[in-house]
Amino acid sequence: MSNLQLRIISAVVLAAVTLGLTWLGGLPFRMLCAAMTILIFYEWTRMCRPVVATGLGLLPEALLLVFVGALVAGLPASWLLLLVAVMVVVTVVVASMHQTSMHQTGQWDASGLAYAAISGLSLALLRDGDHSGLVAILFLFAVVWATDIAAYFVGRAVGGPKLAPSISPGKTQSGALGGAVGGVVAGLLLAAAAGAGNLAVLGVVALVLSLVSQAGDLFESWVKRRHNRKDSGTLIPGHGGVMDRVDGLVAAAFALYVIGWISATADHPAQGLFPA
């Protein structure tokens, strides 16, 4: 089986599972977010930790499991955000008590905890269990997935100057522009199909999410390049690791969560953008 066939099959299976659990919402979707949080942190530490143990023992993993339990249990946003802050602070403080090499590794662990936890938290709280949450997540998917697809095909067809050659040599400025246009169009089509009335505002939100998604992709590329890795992992056949597939999505999810929080509440951010 060719690599392209593996990529297609993996993408179809992942999309089907993700959309099915998204439709269910509630506990099934929170469990998906919890699993994603664990896998992101696992891949992060495999990239960023040296071969030798961190010197922190299993402290970061234990802290993450506490957070994941709270996420699955459906604790309010205020508690989840507090847990994220505590995890990061505790890891940094404990790491600072070790020698320089362990201190640096501990900082990467702290960053990984924040990255993984905020990713899962944003998606879980955006979805919630109501219709507004379902539309918000589908809107997010539409924008991010269309951005990826349009950027790939426009970049290959048009070419031109590179977007960030020192970080990701394959990405072009034309691809980034095409991705942004594709993301906005897809987001507006989804919003219109869902009966949203604030299409002008959602068009701007879609543009922001598209740009943040591409920035999230570049950020993960920078982390991999910083640690001399081509892929974040090997879990997904033909695609690499989980982080390789969700880097743009989780960045955009956090952006949409913040926008929704400003518009509504931290516990029900989707209602600010897609009122029932």
Side-chain angles (χ1 to χ4, degrees):
M1 186 177 295
S2 69
N3 187 62
L4 177 59
Q5 289 174 317
L6 281 174
R7 287 178 65 88
I8 293 173
I9 293 172
S10 298
V12 170
V13 171
L14 284 173
V17 171
T18 300
L19 290 173
L21 293 175
T22 299
W23 179 264
L24 292 173
L27 178 60
F29 189 75
R30 291 200 303 273
M31 292 181 69
L32 172 65
C33 295
M36 187 189 69
T37 299
I38 292 171
L39 290 171
I40 287 175
F41 185 67
Y42 172 79
E43 292 182 351
W44 180 285
T45 55
R46 297 290 77 75
M47 287 194 297
C48 300
R49 285 178 181 173
V51 177
V52 182
T54 65
L56 300 179
L58 295 176
L59 175 63
E61 285 79 2
L63 291 171
L64 187 71
L65 287 179
V66 172
F67 171 82
V68 165
L71 183 67
V72 171
L75 263 62
S78 56
W79 283 100
L80 294 175
L81 291 167
L82 178 61
L83 271 175
V84 175
V86 169
M87 289 192 304
V88 172
V89 170
V90 168
T91 303
V92 170
V93 169
V94 173
S96 67
M97 300 176 182
H98 293 75
Q99 61 265 37
T100 303
S101 61
M102 296 305 175
H103 177 50
Q104 292 174 344
T105 303
Q107 290 179 327
W108 279 106
D109 277 0
S111 300
L113 283 171
Y115 182 76
I118 289 295
S119 298
L121 177 154
S122 299
L123 286 166
L125 292 178
L126 276 170
R127 175 59 183 93
D128 203 8
D130 55 19
H131 179 71
S132 296
L134 175 61
V135 176
I137 288 293
L138 293 178
F139 176 78
L140 174 70
F141 288 165
V143 172
V144 174
W145 291 350
T147 295
D148 286 346
I149 294 169
Y152 175 78
F153 284 106
V154 172
R156 285 179 64 90
V158 178
K162 301 298 183 181
L163 180 64
S166 63
I167 298 175
S168 184
K171 291 181 172 57
T172 61
Q173 295 177 17
S174 63
L177 179 58
V181 173
V184 171
V185 171
L188 286 176
L189 288 175
L190 187 286
N198 51 341
L199 292 182
V201 173
L202 291 175
V204 175
V205 172
L207 177 59
V208 171
L209 296 184
S210 180
L211 296 176
V212 171
S213 171
Q214 296 186 61
D217 194 342
L218 288 174
F219 170 72
E220 199 235 356
S221 295
W222 174 80
V223 173
K224 289 189 294 186
R225 185 170 290 271
R226 174 70 172 75
H227 296 281
N228 299 313
R229 296 296 185 97
K230 181 180 182 294
D231 296 314
S232 64
T234 59
L235 181 64
I236 306 174
H239 289 269
V242 172
M243 283 180 63
D244 293 319
R245 290 296 87 210
V246 303
D247 47 9
L249 177 68
V250 296
F254 180 58
L256 186 59
Y257 174 71
V258 172
I259 293 170
W261 183 354
I262 294 171
S263 304
T265 67
D267 287 298
H268 307 287
Q271 294 180 5
L273 296 167
F274 300 98

